[in-house]
Amino acid sequence: MTCIDAFNLHAIMFRKLSAGIFLLVAGFVLHATDVDITKSGAVGDGKTLNTIFIQKAIDACNKSGGGRVIFPAGKYLSGTIILKDNVVLHLDKDALLLGSTHVEDYQNPDPFVDGLGVGVGWALVAAADVKNIGIEGEGAIDGQGAKLKAQQILTDTRPEGQRWGRRPFLLRVVRCDGVTINGVSLFYSAAWTSHYFQCMKIRIEKVKIISVGVAHNDGMDIDGCQDVRIKDCDVESGDDALCFKTTSSKMSCKDIIVSGMRLKSNQAAIKMGTESMAAFEDIKISDCYIYDTKNGGIKLLTVDGARLRNVEISGITMSEVRTPMLFRLGSRLSVFRKEQDTQQPTGTFENVVIKNIKVKAADSAQLKPPSGILITGVPGHYITNLTLENIEIDLLGTGTVENAGRVVPEAIDQYPEVKTFGPVIPAYGIWARHVKGLKLINISFHIKNNDLRPALICDDGTGIEISNCKIPAGSGAECIIRLENVAGAHINNNDVKANAASFVRVEGTASKDVHVTKNTIPGNTKIIALSADAKPGVAVLE
């Protein structure tokens, strides 16, 4: 062993020893004190309201320097409890924290308005402006959402669209630094299940969420948070399962890594930007399974002024998902914290990669007939450098010639949703509008029934690449690919089994520089067709 090797070995050993000492000290500080809530007066009979007793245990643990607040086996009914610095709730196996069914038992640590314009923010477990907090263990938290709603409507006579906002979230964490949620189960919230706002260093692992039965049962909402790691969680939600928001312009969603999720939703499985004032950037999501989801598998949106950029989603399998993907840059331009923010200009959507995706789309969808992927900016504001690569989608088909001619509304300032552009999309595979630098690489479609819509449509695009795609058998369509006012396109090495009047149809006076190269096409299909308003020579066969 050389002197350098010996020095390096000693340095490595020192670093390992130092790291071990640090972790030992950190663990000692974090778990320096165990406070059993029953010693503070809590009763686990499912009937006694324990809010004061649980809060007393949390306060005592905090004053002692931090540690664990222990929930032994039992059912502990409570209203809002507030976490303090260096306090971890530890739920033993068979321990259940039950939310009160009376809205008067809840507090709102940080009121705000959601994307529907409703005031929200009450919560069962809440934390604001604290550090080093968590929830752990094999126990569960149950918000009793349906029971709370039934109780609420006995005295709250407002319309449901206004009334629901008064119902509490299950978990609300606001401006906290160092948040760990590990192993616990979160059940049946009365509104959103878990909401993290402007937090740093969030670690969520092996959490199970089942939250259905009332409206707005989001699973996880990450709202303007940074340094976030979410791993190996199982979410079944009535609303969006994994949702990234920025309800304030002051702090972006940034440096986020998610993997190993199982997601089921009555709305979207992975969603970004329902509220979108600050940026979404440097986000990676991988190796997830999405199933039985009714309103979008992957939905990336920015409609309130945010920059959405440097996002990668890969290794996703979807089964029985309605409308697998939606990408939207819009100009709704809402403000959610009106005393803190002002309206912003339209945002940007750029440098997003979606790859290695396999989808079995649901036959019954909110679009009739179903379509696979919707991509749209608004006039003058383009989705830029979006790459879709190695994607396989199974679809129902059944589209008609009339469906192929449908004009999709711009809906510039509308709520960003699939139904906003429905009920029919003129392409069965991918429909794209207001795009620059769109790359569609190695995309395969399978259809159960013949479809007379184009597989791909691009309207108002620049710098489009369509390569190595596989188009299934079919007959009778006007074209396989329709380009409307597209300036610069390369269509090459695609394998087409369908018979159509033409492979590529070019329309619009702004179309130019369309290059079609080395594609495999049935012999009776014309390779290029031009509409009456397309300029001669706009498309070149090479």
Side-chain angles (χ1 to χ4, degrees):
M1 181 182 294
T2 66
C3 292
I4 294 175
D5 289 339
F7 176 82
N8 288 337
L9 179 61
H10 283 97
I12 292 169
M13 292 177 65
F14 177 78
R15 285 196 298 269
K16 288 184 176 180
L17 180 61
S18 299
I21 292 171
F22 173 79
L23 290 173
L24 181 62
V25 172
F28 175 78
V29 171
L30 189 58
H31 294 137
T33 301
D34 282 355
V35 179
D36 186 325
I37 63 170
T38 61
K39 299 297 191 294
S40 297
V43 179
D45 60 2
K47 299 178 181 179
T48 303
L49 188 65
N50 291 291
T51 312
I52 295 174
F53 308 122
I54 297 172
Q55 193 63 55
K56 181 179 177 182
I58 292 170
D59 294 347
C61 186
N62 166 254
K63 289 178 182 178
S64 71
R68 303 187 305 175
V69 171
I70 307 296
F71 288 69
K75 297 180 180 180
Y76 302 93
L77 187 69
S78 181
T80 299
I81 55 175
I82 308 292
L83 289 175
K84 302 291 183 67
D85 286 334
N86 304 314
V87 172
V88 172
L89 302 186
H90 180 92
L91 281 69
D92 285 348
K93 186 177 181 180
D94 297 324
L96 181 63
L97 173 58
L98 279 173
S100 166
T101 58
H102 297 281
V103 294
E104 296 81 5
D105 291 330
Y106 294 94
Q107 301 174 38
N108 190 337
D110 182 71
F112 72 102
V113 175
D114 86 322
L116 297 172
V118 177
V120 294
W122 288 264
L124 173 55
V125 180
D129 302 300
V130 295
K131 60 185 179 181
N132 301 330
I133 60 169
I135 305 174
E136 65 178 22
E138 299 180 66
I141 304 175
D142 186 336
Q144 302 195 95
K147 290 182 180 180
L148 185 144
K149 176 183 175 180
Q151 185 69 32
Q152 178 200 20
I153 64 178
L154 295 176
T155 56
D156 190 337
T157 59
R158 292 177 298 167
E160 177 62 15
Q162 301 171 19
R163 180 172 54 209
W164 81 267
R166 182 60 182 83
R167 299 199 282 265
F169 299 0
L170 203 69
L171 172 62
R172 185 94 197 284
V173 184
V174 177
R175 296 182 301 273
C176 295
D177 189 343
V179 180
T180 300
I181 313 295
N182 193 303
V184 296
S185 296
L186 306 178
F187 296 143
Y188 306 110
S189 179
W192 299 358
T193 305
S194 54
H195 180 224
Y196 307 84
F197 175 65
Q198 292 188 347
C199 294
M200 298 288 296
K201 295 192 289 293
I202 299 175
R203 301 294 182 265
I204 305 172
E205 186 170 354
K206 296 180 180 177
V207 170
K208 183 177 182 63
I209 293 175
I210 301 177
S211 196
V212 295
V214 297
H216 312 290
N217 276 153
D218 288 20
M220 296 181 186
D221 289 301
I222 309 299
D223 184 352
C225 296
Q226 301 181 3
D227 187 3
V228 179
R229 304 292 182 266
I230 305 174
K231 183 179 179 182
D232 298 338
C233 297
D234 190 338
V235 180
E236 180 179 343
S237 63
D239 211 309
D240 302 323
L242 175 62
C243 190
F244 301 89
K245 306 169 179 283
T246 49
T247 59
S248 165
S249 68
K250 304 299 190 293
M251 188 167 169
S252 64
C253 274
K254 184 177 182 180
D255 182 17
I256 297 172
I257 299 175
V258 179
S259 64
M261 307 289 283
R262 283 177 54 89
L263 304 169
K264 175 182 178 181
S265 172
N266 288 336
Q267 292 295 324
I270 298 171
K271 189 175 185 182
M272 202 171 293
T274 302
E275 295 94 349
S276 45
M277 295 202 70
F280 303 89
E281 52 194 353
D282 304 328
I283 298 173
K284 290 188 176 182
I285 302 172
S286 64
D287 302 320
C288 299
Y289 176 61
I290 298 170
Y291 65 105
D292 295 345
T293 290
K294 295 180 178 158
N295 201 9
I298 298 170
K299 296 161 78 169
L300 304 186
L301 325 162
T302 172
V303 296
D304 303 309
R307 300 185 309 273
L308 192 157
R309 62 185 180 183
N310 303 335
V311 175
E312 180 181 296
I313 300 178
S314 64
I316 309 296
T317 299
M318 303 187 204
S319 178
E320 294 299 323
V321 173
R322 296 181 181 179
T323 311
M325 301 184 213
L326 169 65
F327 306 99
R328 171 62 162 169
L329 168 60
S331 301
R332 181 183 62 181
L333 307 181
S334 292
V335 177
F336 309 102
R337 297 167 186 269
K338 298 187 186 301
E339 295 181 359
Q340 304 171 27
D341 275 316
T342 57
Q343 189 178 65
Q344 302 185 141
T346 302
T348 59
F349 187 125
E350 59 186 350
N351 301 334
V352 171
V353 176
I354 312 294
K355 64 182 182 179
N356 304 330
I357 313 291
K358 188 169 184 178
V359 180
K360 184 183 182 303
D363 290 347
S364 176
Q366 67 276 60
L367 299 175
K368 299 184 183 302
S371 293
I373 301 174
L374 282 58
I375 306 166
T376 180
V378 294
H381 299 277
Y382 293 82
I383 290 181
T384 303
N385 296 337
L386 170 63
T387 298
L388 306 182
E389 184 173 4
N390 298 335
I391 295 173
E392 184 175 351
I393 304 180
D394 291 3
L395 290 154
L396 175 67
T398 73
T400 67
V401 171
E402 289 181 350
N403 297 154
R406 196 211 179 223
V407 177
V408 180
E410 290 285 358
I412 292 171
D413 60 354
Q414 299 302 299
Y415 188 88
E417 195 50 87
V418 171
K419 67 180 181 181
T420 304
F421 306 102
V424 176
I425 298 298
Y428 74 76
I430 298 174
W431 171 77
R433 181 173 63 187
H434 309 311
V435 292
K436 290 183 178 180
L438 175 65
K439 294 183 179 181
L440 308 175
I441 303 169
N442 192 26
I443 299 177
S444 300
F445 299 108
H446 307 280
I447 53 176
K448 296 180 181 179
N449 303 280
N450 193 41
D451 201 305
L452 298 179
R453 296 174 293 172
L456 304 166
I457 291 178
C458 184
D459 178 5
D460 184 21
T462 303
I464 309 303
E465 177 186 343
I466 303 172
S467 62
N468 299 299
C469 295
K470 295 179 176 60
I471 309 299
S475 62
E478 181 182 45
C479 60
I480 305 302
I481 297 173
R482 189 166 80 211
L483 304 180
E484 305 172 22
N485 294 307
V486 169
H490 288 83
I491 302 171
N492 56 83
N493 295 310
N494 299 288
D495 184 6
V496 179
K497 304 297 185 187
N499 287 287
S502 63
F503 171 45
V504 178
R505 179 176 172 82
V506 182
E507 302 179 353
T509 57
S511 288
K512 61 181 179 180
D513 298 329
V514 175
H515 300 266
V516 182
T517 310
K518 298 180 180 178
N519 299 280
T520 302
I521 303 165
N524 57 348
T525 296
K526 187 176 181 179
I527 297 176
I528 298 172
L530 305 182
S531 67
D533 61 349
K535 298 175 182 177
V538 68
V540 178
L541 177 61
E542 298 175 342

